[in-house]
Amino acid sequence: MGIRLGTPGVGAPVPAAGLLDSYGRRATDMRLSLTDKCNLRCTYCMPAEGLQWLQKDQVLSREEIVRLVAIGVNLLGIRELRLTGGEPLVRADLVDIIADIRSQHPDLPVSLTTNGLGLDKKAQRLKDAGLTRINVSMDSLHSDTFAQLTRRPFLDRVLRGIEAAAAVGLGLVKINAVLMRGINDHEAPELLEWAVTHGFELRFIEQMPLDADHGWTREGMITASEIRERLTERFVLTPDPRNRDGAPAERWEVRRAEAPDVVVGTVGIIASVTEPFCADCRRTRVTAEGKIMSCLFSREETDLRDLLRSGADDAAIALRWQEAMWAKPKAHGMDHTGLGAADFVQPDRSMSAIGG
Ligand code: SAM
Ligand code: SF4
């Protein structure tokens, strides 16, 4: 691998190849947001109303997306792609985008993170287009709680989507859940029981300060250690012996307390706030309008769309992408004190506008 690089700017060394940063990490995992729009309004992500959508021409087109993925894979060492949003299923050309990417990169793992609405109707087409795997977000098995968290009464539709993804063989279906204190945190063992019974891998994500309402507090969030505590009411958790290999989730083997000899599944806990994994981060993010974010919590953004639309060649786009990643911060800064550092400033964008 390796591309010819331009002259580095003064004081801004440019890496030799790939998406290297100044702390020696190399990004190989591309998170690509396909839209900022969504049909749910999860309280920890979007506001109830009033979010301004991007205009259609501000969002990367199918062709621009496919080109960026090709630059990432062919020139910059991207080895894994996750499509996200907003809600990627609301994009009418999603199946075509996946098919285009698959035809150019037959071996690239391509996964999708979705809220599951409409997945029942699209799962087979996504599978046929070449999607490798799917993550569906679902925080509660109770309609009222689901509606409280998402501000929409659609739990049944999400469950139908999950069922369809499993039925068409979209790899190991992973379920993402965020626990909110006093709302669904008591459901942790129930969610895990449901997941292991159905053969899904559940992943709890610590609530991060990326909500549009800026309502996150360090005291209010449910920590990874509390999640483990709640799960051990019913289960025995032991560290998964497999190498974590840069994955954000720390995985645990799950045994039921009443039958501690039998592993019934695994559970992941993504503890971005209390047990951050910045030192081994391998992600590069592209927003729906073509901005590189070197970190989920970055306040710096680097535009690739203007280059894409101004006739720049692939090497020039790759170089700007490399420069953006070279400046990736060492860590997100929430963990300096363990209690939410005073110098941590919440990004302007909400999670839905970055691409989780
Ligand atoms: N709409 C899709 C979905 O919900 O799966 C994809 C985009 S969503 C931003 C991706 C993931 O981010 C979801 O699993 C969601 O639960 C998670 N998420 C959103 N806001 C979050 C926050 N403030 N803290 C932690 N996770 C969050
Ligand atoms: Fe939409 Fe996903 Fe954000 Fe929920 S978490 S509001 S489903 S983008």
Side-chain angles (χ1 to χ4, degrees):
M1 194 191 65
I3 59 170
R4 278 196 61 76
L5 297 166
T7 312
V10 176
V14 172
L19 293 172
L20 197 65
D21 69 43
S22 63
Y23 297 96
R25 296 164 297 186
R26 193 180 295 277
T28 52
D29 176 357
M30 177 174 176
R31 303 284 167 110
L32 175 60
S33 173
L34 298 180
T35 178
D36 59 325
K37 293 204 177 98
C38 189
N39 39 18
L40 293 183
R41 292 290 180 278
C42 304
T43 52
Y44 48 75
C45 179
M46 290 181 104
E49 51 196 39
L51 204 65
Q52 279 282 325
W53 303 130
L54 294 167
Q55 302 295 314
K56 192 162 186 284
D57 66 345
Q58 292 178 292
V59 174
L60 294 184
S61 68
R62 168 180 166 187
E63 292 73 23
E64 288 166 339
I65 286 167
V66 174
R67 183 171 172 210
L68 270 191
V69 172
I71 293 170
V73 173
N74 299 335
L75 300 182
L76 296 172
I78 290 299
R79 294 289 167 262
E80 191 175 342
L81 175 66
R82 167 82 58 88
L83 303 172
T84 182
E87 175 44 48
L89 288 182
V90 305
R91 214 174 142 137
D93 53 2
L94 173 64
V95 170
D96 301 320
I97 290 171
I98 294 170
D100 289 352
I101 292 171
R102 176 58 65 223
S103 72
Q104 291 187 21
H105 314 286
D107 301 323
L108 182 71
V110 181
S111 59
L112 180 78
T113 302
T114 170
N115 64 27
L117 288 180
L119 184 56
D120 52 339
K121 303 205 176 59
K122 290 193 183 144
Q124 188 65 58
R125 274 180 286 152
L126 292 169
K127 168 84 179 160
D128 295 344
L131 187 68
T132 321
R133 222 185 37 70
I134 202 153
N135 284 30
V136 185
S137 304
M138 194 198 63
D139 308 320
S140 174
L141 288 161
H142 298 273
S143 314
D144 291 354
T145 311
F146 180 92
Q148 187 182 356
L149 284 165
T150 64
R151 302 186 177 107
R152 298 289 185 272
F154 297 148
L155 175 61
D156 290 349
R157 290 172 57 189
V158 175
L159 289 171
R160 283 207 297 277
I162 293 171
E163 204 178 308
V168 304
L170 269 170
L172 169 67
V173 176
K174 294 189 183 177
I175 307 294
N176 291 357
V178 177
L179 296 179
M180 300 289 281
R181 195 175 298 285
I183 300 176
N184 65 338
D185 51 329
H186 62 284
E187 269 193 65
E190 186 184 346
L191 280 164
L192 183 54
E193 180 61 47
W194 171 84
V196 297
T197 303
H198 289 83
F200 306 141
E201 183 172 307
L202 180 63
R203 295 139 41 99
F204 291 102
I205 309 176
E206 275 184 346
Q207 186 204 357
M208 295 178 267
L210 290 171
D211 56 317
D213 292 336
H214 288 226
W216 180 93
T217 61
R218 176 64 179 77
E219 304 69 39
M221 64 166 287
I222 303 286
T223 64
S225 96
E226 283 179 271
I227 295 169
R228 289 190 290 266
E229 214 173 286
R230 278 172 173 66
L231 294 178
T232 49
E233 288 163 16
R234 255 200 243 174
F235 299 95
V236 177
L237 303 185
T238 47
D240 188 325
R242 284 171 293 177
N243 187 343
R244 187 161 170 183
D245 203 22
E250 182 170 20
R251 308 229 312 264
W252 302 81
E253 285 185 342
V254 179
R255 295 168 169 84
R256 291 195 177 93
E258 67 275 16
D261 295 336
V262 188
V263 176
V264 290
T266 55
V267 64
I269 301 180
I270 301 179
S272 313
V273 180
T274 62
E275 298 163 14
F277 34 86
C278 304
D280 201 20
C281 181
R282 301 182 192 174
R283 279 159 289 285
T284 182
R285 294 174 188 277
V286 185
T287 67
E289 74 269 49
K291 294 206 188 325
I292 299 294
M293 290 182 71
S294 62
C295 168
L296 197 48
F297 296 93
S298 181
R299 298 177 61 80
E300 305 290 325
E301 302 178 356
T302 303
D303 189 28
L304 296 186
R305 191 186 62 196
D306 65 340
L307 283 184
L308 282 166
R309 294 184 182 177
S310 67
D313 64 12
D314 288 357
I317 294 170
L319 179 60
R320 191 180 283 178
W321 195 339
Q322 286 185 304
E323 286 169 342
M325 291 306 294
W326 182 252
K328 183 178 172 97
K330 185 174 183 188
H332 54 48
M334 277 185 294
D335 51 321
H336 294 173
T337 65
L339 288 171
D343 59 349
F344 174 77
V345 184
Q346 180 165 346
D348 298 328
R349 285 173 183 269
S350 64
M351 187 71 137
S352 62
I354 302 170

